[in-house]
Amino acid sequence: MKTAIGLLFLFAVINVSYSTSLREFTFMKSLYAREDMPRLVLTSMITRRIDQVKTLYESKSILEDAKIFCNSTEQSLNLLLESMNANDTQNGEFFESYSHIVQLIADVSNVMNLHYVDYLTVNSRDSFPRDELQAMMDAYISDIEMVRMCEVSMGRADRVDMKILERIKSLSNEMRNYTFYRDDSFVSESMSISRKTMDQCLWQFKFLLNKFTSTFIHY
């Protein structure tokens, strides 16, 4: 079994840049900057990704070849999860293998014209289209909720500042309910007041994320 797992990792070795640009890793590494990332967090990432792949499979809009890809991807993720649970995998091997699988999902999502923000972070750029900004904010909230559940399981529930989390959720809801007006037909969208409102929301989101991270690290 270990030989088979070793072959899996051999074929899964990829460019290390994936592990540094993937939002999940960038954010998790910032939270656990002073310690090893808990194994529970890593396995939770795999489990969450499996659920996402299952949701995509159940979508009525995807074609048969995409369903076959989803099945294959779920098998790959389950192999990685089994190896993690058996302690056959080091963190570095996990980062490479998981990043490779996620990159393949991103490639297929791009072919299918699906909205994909796993490689977007709050520091990617200073301005985002509304859909991307909203999806990215929701992705970070999902990351925080996942970490919160892991920390609760490890007996460290107080490590997650719930007040900051609620403010982040509130900001996301404001974004979702915000009416994007076209201020002036002679003003480009990038210079519109509504666009600048989105940029203000992005700044607030960055600020709250940094505050959350600092509180988490210094727990």
Side-chain angles (χ1 to χ4, degrees), residues 27-60:
F27 186 47
M28 295 304 158
K29 287 176 180 178
S30 70
L31 294 179
Y32 295 101
R34 298 184 178 182
E35 61 194 283
D36 291 334
M37 202 176 300
R39 188 59 61 101
L40 180 58
V41 171
L42 301 180
T43 56
S44 295
M45 289 170 62
I46 303 174
T47 302
R48 179 175 64 172
R49 188 67 61 171
I50 290 173
D51 290 339
Q52 292 172 354
V53 171
K54 287 181 177 178
T55 299
L56 178 60
Y57 178 88
E58 293 169 358
S59 173
K60 295 180 180 180

Side-chain angles (χ1 to χ4, degrees), residues 156-218:
R156 304 185 300 201
D158 292 341
R159 191 171 192 182
V160 173
D161 191 320
M162 293 302 298
K163 290 183 179 180
I164 300 178
L165 176 56
E166 290 305 318
R167 291 189 68 179
I168 291 174
K169 288 181 177 180
S170 177
L171 178 62
S172 178
N173 287 332
E174 288 177 17
M175 273 281 301
R176 185 172 288 104
N177 297 324
Y178 175 62
T179 300
F180 203 121
Y181 296 100
R182 293 188 178 276
D183 309 302
D184 191 321
S185 59
F186 296 102
V187 177
S188 67
E189 182 179 333
S190 64
M191 292 301 296
S192 71
I193 296 175
S194 295
R195 177 71 267 159
K196 297 309 175 185
T197 301
M198 298 294 104
D199 295 343
Q200 289 285 19
C201 289
L202 174 61
W203 183 89
Q204 293 175 46
F205 188 61
K206 284 183 181 181
F207 182 90
L208 290 170
L209 269 184
N210 287 335
K211 188 174 181 180
F212 176 87
T213 302
S214 178
T215 302
F216 188 92
I217 290 175
H218 294 96

Side-chain angles (χ1 to χ4, degrees), residues 49 52-63 65-67 69-70 73 102-120 131-132 135-136:
R49 188 67 61 171
Q52 292 172 354
V53 171
K54 287 181 177 178
T55 299
L56 178 60
Y57 178 88
E58 293 169 358
S59 173
K60 295 180 180 180
S61 61
I62 71 170
L63 301 177
D65 56 349
K67 289 182 178 291
F69 171 78
C70 287
T73 301
V102 172
Q103 179 61 38
L104 292 175
I105 297 173
D107 292 342
V108 171
S109 296
N110 188 46
V111 171
M112 296 169 62
N113 293 318
L114 296 177
H115 204 54
Y116 200 79
V117 295
D118 269 348
Y119 292 92
L120 289 181
D131 289 347
E132 283 190 0
M136 183 179 65

Side-chain angles (χ1 to χ4, degrees), residues 71-106:
N71 280 331
S72 180
T73 301
E74 185 178 346
Q75 292 173 24
S76 296
L77 289 167
N78 277 318
L79 273 176
L80 186 56
L81 184 60
E82 290 171 12
S83 182
M84 292 292 291
N85 288 334
N87 290 320
D88 290 337
T89 307
Q90 300 300 314
N91 282 10
E93 293 174 317
F94 167 81
F95 293 148
E96 291 180 347
S97 298
Y98 181 79
S99 295
H100 176 67
I101 294 170
V102 172
Q103 179 61 38
L104 292 175
I105 297 173

Side-chain angles (χ1 to χ4, degrees), residues 1-30:
M1 177 65 181
K2 288 187 177 181
T3 301
I5 294 298
L7 288 173
L8 169 68
F9 293 133
L10 178 62
F11 287 111
V13 171
I14 58 164
N15 190 315
V16 179
S17 64
Y18 290 152
S19 64
T20 56
S21 59
L22 189 59
R23 184 206 72 256
E24 289 172 312
F25 290 156
T26 301
F27 186 47
M28 295 304 158
K29 287 176 180 178
S30 70

